[in-house]
């Protein structure tokens, strides 16, 4: 029977092909699931500037917009939009010349006639390929370490993970960073174990990809130090090879010398990658436009530059060691990562909490993944004990051997996790994204029993000899199957709300009391607000308080804007006063024509414009602009918790200083708040133009304080509805509004803005 010896090889090849086909189908299904999960999701806060910047990189070879985020993911997002020939903002506009990225992005998406939904779809489809590459790398690494079954298990946990699904296709830098953190660590470890020209080049290219993906890529330096230190002291000598030359590096000084040379060449390749993404040009500008050195460089470095990293950035700028936009972006990211308004479990902080990310990992990681981690640990320990009984190998030596084979994964987990915990940028669970892929790979150990010939330390052992009995294998298989089934069921049950996902330790409907911003509400649910308004016509009027950069109007939300974090779409009450200048001879006709076309304003008075002879008309917005009316309020969770990027606005809990200022302004502004236009006009005659002009400038502050007082009231009231976890529905009567705005304050917390001013943290 001559065919019998080839039968195992045929079966092995068949298994390999089946696992390969299964993996490819999983990756294709993963990309499809990514796109479907965001099909009815609006732009998240950061996407609009990432995509705009990336398109300008391709179209104009100009790097002035959003340099503090990764050039590579921005290029990926912008490429299909550049190829589609979308209408670009004019380069002679003041917004472009002065690098007003939010205004340029808003114009491109919402005001130039482009199809914003199509742009979002195409950009996200391209970025989803980065997530597919990440999942493929997880599959490959787990298969290499834990066999085919371990690779499939790791891949399944990856493609079914809500955090990966939430961020995998967004036009942001988080997925690219996760991909290149893992790729860089693996490549550097391979180059250290067996140094060669090819491996060093691959490590340099992977590291370059990381550095142009996110400023946090500098964490690769401690990761590389950890990897090099372990390989340097390891008893297993690396084998260096260049071409046909091979040499085992047993002496540690020889290893250190080779590692140092490899680091120099790898770093040179990395720097070359960075320059290539900026067109090998130092200047951030493609034309003779404004120079970002003054005063913007002073904003991030200080004048003079402060000690430590600012001096490093200044030297890199002055000696043109790296592209200007790259250096500025890194300096900007460092400067503004030291403080940011953050929210956790009802509290605000500018410098964060050491418990923020451990808590977010606990409540936003699927429970089946915790089970798989426990099963993988149990399987590994059981194998160590089995091997010790058979050949006397100690647990310590086995642990060291296992650590050596999985070292790059642990290095990423430890370094990135430590940096997140000790950092101050506690604004989103997405910053833990680089930790998940290594965890998925390590969970492949839960399937070690499937292929003993590949991964068993003692192949062929049976019951009574220290191996796994069929009963134990059946129990392990059943447990792993149940965990994967539970993960799959939960993923599809929570579709498509992966950004606002919680694992049940926190109820999803209560998530807004624990997290906001990109951990829950990043502006993604305008379509849900539109559907609610369209299907509940009896609850009119609708008022929207929105946190995000998408235009509610462009996304079809027919509601009055009560508050909007979008820099270019202000709520009606935030600009209550306007001035228009006219030549003396045309004042009468010009002001009449203006009032006829802007009926929401009324003339308060006139004033001279310095010594020019021109007349200035002072206009007051009337109607709902200054009024707060009953109705249905759709309120983003981030807005409800008064978390602000702009620290000049009221933020944090309502406090005594806010209350005193609010009551002072309310007494002065009250004559302007009625519906009776004649009564308002009579009130206006009791003061001079200058007096009313001073007061009207404060109306914007009053409007912001009044809205903040309303949110303080609503924080202590249960919502009437919850849209996908991120937008809360409140149906407010006149009596409730009166209680919120005129009654005793619902809370009087600490004065965090006042404490910030005294601390000097922003200097």
């Amino acid at each position: 029977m001559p065919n019998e010896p080839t039968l195992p090889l045929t079966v092995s090849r068949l298994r390999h092909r089946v696992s390969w086909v299964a993996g490819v189908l999983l990756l294709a299904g993963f990309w499809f699931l990514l796109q479907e999960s965001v099909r009815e999701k609006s732009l998240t806060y950061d996407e609009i500037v990432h995509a705009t910047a990336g398109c300008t990189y391709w179209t104009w070879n100009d790097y002035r917009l959003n340099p503090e985020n990764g050039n590579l993911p921005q290029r990926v997002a912008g490429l299909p939009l550049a190829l589609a020939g979308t209408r670009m903002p004019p380069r002679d506009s003041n917004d472009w010349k002065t690098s007003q990225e939010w205004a340029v992005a808003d114009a491109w998406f919402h005001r130039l006639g482009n199809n914003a939904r199509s742009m979002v779809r195409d950009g996200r489809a391209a970025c989803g390929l980065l997530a597919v590459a990440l999942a493929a790398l997880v599959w490959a690494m787990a298969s290499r370490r834990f066999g085919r079954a371990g690779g499939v298990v790791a891949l399944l946990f990856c493609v079914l993970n809500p955090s990966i699904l939430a961020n995998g296709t967004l036009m942001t830098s988080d997925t690219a960073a996760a991909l290149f953190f893992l790729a860089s660590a693996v490549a550097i470890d391979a180059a250290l174990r067996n140094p060669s020209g090819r491996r060093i080049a691959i490590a340099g290219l992977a590291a370059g990809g990381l550095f142009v993906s996110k400023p946090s890529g500098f964490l690769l330096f401690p990761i590389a130090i950890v990897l090099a230190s372990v390989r340097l002291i390891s008893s297993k000598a690396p084998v260096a090879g260049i071409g046909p030359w091979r040499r085992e590096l047993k002496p540690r000084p020889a290893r250190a010398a080779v590692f140092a040379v490899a680091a120099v060449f790898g770093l040179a390749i990395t720097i070359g990658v960075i320059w290539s993404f900026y067109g090998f040009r130092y200047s951030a500008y493609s034309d003779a436009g404004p120079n970002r050195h003054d005063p913007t460089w002073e904003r991030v470095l200080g004048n003079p530059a402060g000690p430590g990293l600012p001096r490093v950035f200044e030297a890199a700028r002055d000696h043109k060691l790296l592209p200007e936009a790259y250096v500025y972006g890194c300096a900007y990211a460092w400067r503004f990562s030291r403080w940011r308004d953050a929210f956790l479990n009802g509290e605000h902080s500018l410098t964060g909490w050491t418990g923020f990310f451990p808590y977010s990992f606990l409540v936003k990681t699927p429970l089946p993944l915790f089970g798989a981690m426990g099963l993988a640990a149990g399987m590994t320990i059981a194998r160590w004990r089995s091997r010790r009984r058979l050949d006397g190998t100690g647990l310590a030596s086995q642990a060291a051997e296992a650590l050596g084979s999985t070292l790059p994964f642990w290095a990423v987990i430890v370094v990135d996790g430590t940096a997140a915990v000790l950092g101050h940028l506690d604004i989103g669970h997405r910053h833990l994204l680089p930790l998940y892929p290594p965890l998925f790979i390590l969970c492949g150990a839960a399937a070690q029993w499937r292929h003993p010939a590949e991964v068993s330390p003692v192949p062929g052992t049976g019951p009574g000899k220290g191996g796994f009995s069929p009963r134990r294998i059946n129990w392990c298989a059943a447990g792993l199957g149940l965990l994967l089934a539970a993960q799959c069921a939960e993923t599809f049950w929570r579709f498509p709300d992966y950004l606002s996902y919680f694992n049940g330790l926190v109820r999803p409907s209560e998530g807004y009391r624990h997290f906001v911003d990109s951990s829950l509400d990043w502006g993604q649910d305008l379509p849900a607000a539109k559907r609610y308004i369209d299907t509940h016509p009896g609850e009119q009027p609708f008022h929207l308080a929105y946190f995000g950069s998408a235009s509610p109007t462009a996304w079809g939300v027919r509601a009055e804007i009560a508050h909007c974090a979008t820099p270019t779409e202000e709520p009606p009450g935030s600009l209550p006063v306007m001035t228009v200048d006219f030549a003396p001879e045309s004042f009468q006709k010009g002001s009449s024509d203006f009032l006829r076309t802007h009926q929401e304003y009324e003339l308060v008075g006139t004033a001279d414009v310095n010594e020019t002879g021109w007349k200035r008309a002072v206009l007051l917005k009337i109607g709902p602009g200054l009024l707060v009316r009953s109705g249905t309020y759709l309120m983003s969770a981030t807005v409800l918790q008064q978390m602000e990027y702009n620290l000049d606005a009221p933020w944090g809990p309502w406090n005594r200083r806010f209350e005193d200022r609010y009551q002072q302004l309310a007494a002065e502004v009250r004559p302007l708040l009625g519906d009776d236009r004649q009564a308002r006009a009579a009130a206006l005659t009791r003061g001079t133009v200058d007096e009313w002009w001073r007061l009207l400038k404060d109306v914007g502050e009053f409007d912001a304080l009044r809205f903040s007082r309303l949110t303080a009231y609503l924080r202590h009231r249960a919502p009437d509805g919850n849209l996908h976890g991120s937008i809360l529905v409140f149906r407010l009567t006149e009596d409730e509004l009166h209680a919120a705005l005129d009654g005793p304050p619902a809370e009087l917390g600490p004065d965090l803005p006042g404490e910030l001013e005294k601390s000097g943290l922003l200097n």
Side-chain angles (χ1 to χ4, degrees):
M1 293 186 295
N3 292 332
E4 283 187 357
T6 63
L7 182 61
L9 181 60
T10 302
V11 172
S12 176
R13 286 179 176 175
L14 179 62
R15 287 175 175 173
H16 175 74
R17 290 177 181 177
V18 169
S19 65
W20 188 87
V21 171
V24 171
L25 291 176
L26 280 174
L27 292 175
F30 174 53
W31 185 86
F32 178 78
L33 180 59
L34 282 170
Q35 305 314 309
E36 285 299 302
S37 67
V38 295
R39 187 167 58 87
E40 290 299 320
K41 298 291 184 180
S42 51
L43 279 162
T44 56
Y45 202 104
D46 291 359
E47 284 184 285
I48 191 170
V49 290
H50 283 247
T52 304
C55 191
T56 61
Y57 300 165
W58 289 111
T59 306
W60 294 329
N61 192 29
D62 193 285
Y63 308 100
R64 72 185 68 193
L65 298 186
N66 204 238
E68 64 270 19
N69 286 292
N71 186 298
L72 184 150
Q74 290 173 335
R75 282 185 177 273
V76 172
L79 180 58
L81 308 183
L83 295 175
T86 54
R87 184 179 180 185
M88 298 293 291
R91 298 183 74 182
D92 59 355
S93 70
N94 188 61
D95 289 334
W96 171 256
K97 291 179 180 178
T98 56
S99 305
Q100 299 298 316
E101 56 192 29
W102 293 99
V104 173
D106 181 73
W108 186 40
F109 270 86
H110 302 132
R111 308 187 189 283
L112 295 179
N114 294 319
N115 187 330
R117 291 175 182 266
S118 176
M119 293 166 66
V120 173
R121 182 194 65 223
D122 294 345
R124 285 175 170 174
C127 289
L129 297 177
L130 293 172
V132 173
L134 173 62
L137 184 59
V138 167
W139 177 31
M141 292 297 101
S143 297
R144 177 178 298 180
R145 176 62 185 86
F146 302 113
R148 290 188 295 267
V152 173
V153 167
L155 179 58
L156 280 169
F157 277 114
C158 179
V159 301
L160 296 173
N161 184 269
S163 295
I164 300 294
L165 289 167
N167 296 280
T169 195
L170 297 184
M171 297 181 289
T172 57
S173 58
D174 300 293
T175 300
L179 168 62
F180 284 102
F181 262 119
L182 178 59
S184 299
V186 170
I188 290 173
D189 187 64
L192 291 170
R193 283 188 288 107
N194 297 108
S196 69
R198 182 177 64 86
R199 292 190 174 194
I200 292 170
I202 292 173
L205 291 172
L210 176 60
F211 282 111
V212 293
S213 291
K214 202 169 186 178
S216 61
F218 282 95
L219 291 175
L220 185 61
F221 286 117
I223 291 175
I225 291 172
V226 169
L227 295 174
S229 300
V230 173
R231 297 308 177 194
L232 186 63
I233 64 176
S234 173
S235 59
K236 186 176 182 180
V239 177
I242 299 178
W245 179 79
R246 293 285 186 275
R247 181 177 178 180
E248 190 175 23
L249 303 175
K250 290 185 177 180
R252 289 185 171 85
R255 295 186 204 180
V258 171
F259 289 174
V261 172
V264 170
F265 281 99
L267 186 59
I269 295 172
T270 298
I271 293 174
V273 171
I274 295 173
W275 276 102
S276 70
F277 272 81
Y278 292 87
F280 294 99
R281 188 185 72 231
Y282 170 74
S283 175
Y285 303 95
S286 59
D287 52 26
N291 193 318
R292 202 163 191 164
H293 285 272
D294 295 309
T296 318
W297 275 104
E298 296 175 359
R299 181 187 181 199
V300 297
L301 297 182
N303 187 21
L309 278 178
R311 292 285 176 85
V312 175
F313 295 135
E314 184 180 49
R317 178 199 69 185
D318 294 343
H319 297 285
K320 298 183 179 180
L321 302 178
L322 291 167
E324 178 186 30
Y326 184 79
V327 177
Y328 178 85
C330 292
Y332 183 98
W334 169 80
R335 172 78 175 179
F336 295 101
S337 66
R338 299 182 303 161
W339 51 263
R340 184 74 67 85
D341 183 19
F343 176 85
L344 174 65
N345 293 334
E347 296 183 358
H348 286 256
S349 173
L350 282 180
T351 54
W353 306 265
T354 56
F356 181 93
F357 285 110
Y359 183 73
S360 75
F361 184 81
L362 176 66
V363 301
K364 291 183 73 69
T365 298
L367 296 179
L369 183 60
F370 285 119
M373 292 161 59
L375 182 59
M379 291 290 294
T380 301
I381 294 172
R383 282 196 168 279
W384 292 352
R385 290 177 174 174
S386 173
R387 184 172 176 179
R388 183 180 61 175
R389 288 196 297 269
L390 287 171
D391 59 13
T393 305
L395 290 180
S397 62
Q398 292 186 67
E401 180 183 341
L403 177 62
S405 63
T406 58
L407 181 61
F409 314 135
W410 289 111
V412 172
I413 291 170
V414 172
V415 172
D416 276 313
T418 301
V421 169
L422 299 181
H424 303 298
L425 205 60
D426 295 350
I427 59 174
H429 178 71
R430 60 193 171 91
H431 291 162
L432 288 184
L433 208 63
L435 275 65
Y436 280 103
L439 283 176
F440 301 145
I441 294 171
L442 294 173
C443 283
Q448 285 187 101
W449 45 266
R450 285 293 294 125
H451 294 290
E454 296 178 13
V455 298
S456 174
V458 186
T461 56
K465 297 181 181 181
F468 289 143
S469 67
R471 182 177 181 182
R472 175 179 288 184
I473 291 176
N474 290 338
W475 276 110
C476 292
L480 184 58
L482 286 175
L483 291 171
L484 286 169
Q487 179 65 73
C488 184
E490 184 177 35
T491 297
F492 287 100
W493 175 257
R494 299 294 178 87
F495 176 89
D497 300 320
Y498 299 126
L499 195 63
S500 56
Y501 168 84
F502 287 91
N503 61 15
L505 297 179
V506 167
R507 293 167 52 192
S509 61
E510 296 290 320
Y512 71 96
R513 300 187 186 277
H514 299 261
F515 292 108
V516 291
D517 204 326
S518 58
S519 297
L520 175 80
D521 163 40
W522 216 10
Q524 73 272 17
D525 280 318
L526 281 181
K530 180 183 183 302
R531 286 193 298 271
Y532 186 90
I533 292 171
D534 292 344
T535 56
H536 295 78
E539 297 182 12
Q540 295 181 357
F542 290 97
H543 309 271
L544 177 68
Y546 174 61
F547 175 82
S549 59
S551 166
T553 303
W555 287 78
V557 180
R558 296 175 296 178
E560 180 181 316
I561 306 298
H563 179 87
C564 192
T566 308
T568 51
E569 185 158 350
E570 300 287 353
S574 63
L575 295 173
V577 64
M578 178 185 292
T579 60
V580 184
D581 296 342
F582 300 96
E585 62 274 11
S586 62
F587 178 81
Q588 192 66 38
K589 183 178 185 304
S591 59
S592 298
D593 291 345
F594 182 89
L595 291 171
R596 186 165 52 254
T597 57
H598 296 77
Q599 297 184 10
E600 71 273 24
Y601 285 93
E602 61 184 343
L603 184 65
V604 174
T606 62
D608 293 331
V609 183
N610 298 328
E611 299 176 354
T612 63
W614 281 50
K615 294 287 185 181
R616 172 167 294 167
V618 183
L619 305 152
L620 175 69
K621 182 174 285 188
I622 59 177
L626 289 176
L627 303 177
V628 178
R629 300 183 183 277
S630 61
T632 302
Y633 283 74
L634 306 180
M635 187 165 293
S636 291
T638 309
V639 174
L640 177 68
Q641 300 296 358
Q642 282 288 261
M643 181 176 165
E644 289 282 351
Y645 291 160
N646 175 19
L647 298 184
D648 292 330
W651 60 275
W654 188 255
N655 57 66
R656 172 54 62 185
R657 186 163 62 93
F658 285 167
E659 176 68 15
D660 292 344
R661 180 61 173 162
Y662 169 76
Q663 294 298 343
Q664 175 191 346
L665 290 175
E668 297 179 352
V669 174
R670 189 167 287 112
L672 307 181
L673 300 183
D675 283 319
D676 189 333
R677 184 167 185 170
Q678 291 184 344
R680 281 203 310 276
L684 291 172
T685 62
R686 293 197 288 269
T688 66
V689 170
D690 289 340
E691 290 171 339
W692 279 112
W693 174 245
R694 178 198 61 78
L695 174 60
L696 293 175
K697 288 194 298 183
D698 293 335
V699 173
E701 180 188 1
F702 167 74
D703 190 68
L705 286 168
R706 180 175 55 178
F707 181 79
S708 182
R709 201 177 199 267
L710 175 62
T711 62
Y713 174 83
L714 295 178
R715 286 196 290 271
H716 298 271
R717 176 195 186 282
D720 298 302
N722 190 310
L723 307 182
H724 299 270
S726 70
I727 297 180
L728 306 171
V729 180
F730 295 95
R731 303 184 189 98
L732 299 181
T733 65
E734 292 289 348
D735 289 341
E736 287 179 305
L737 279 175
H738 175 73
L741 302 178
D742 303 320
E747 66 184 29
L748 286 174
D751 182 7
L752 298 183
E755 294 175 8
L756 175 63
E757 293 175 6
K758 297 176 182 178
S759 69
L761 184 62
L762 303 184
N763 296 330

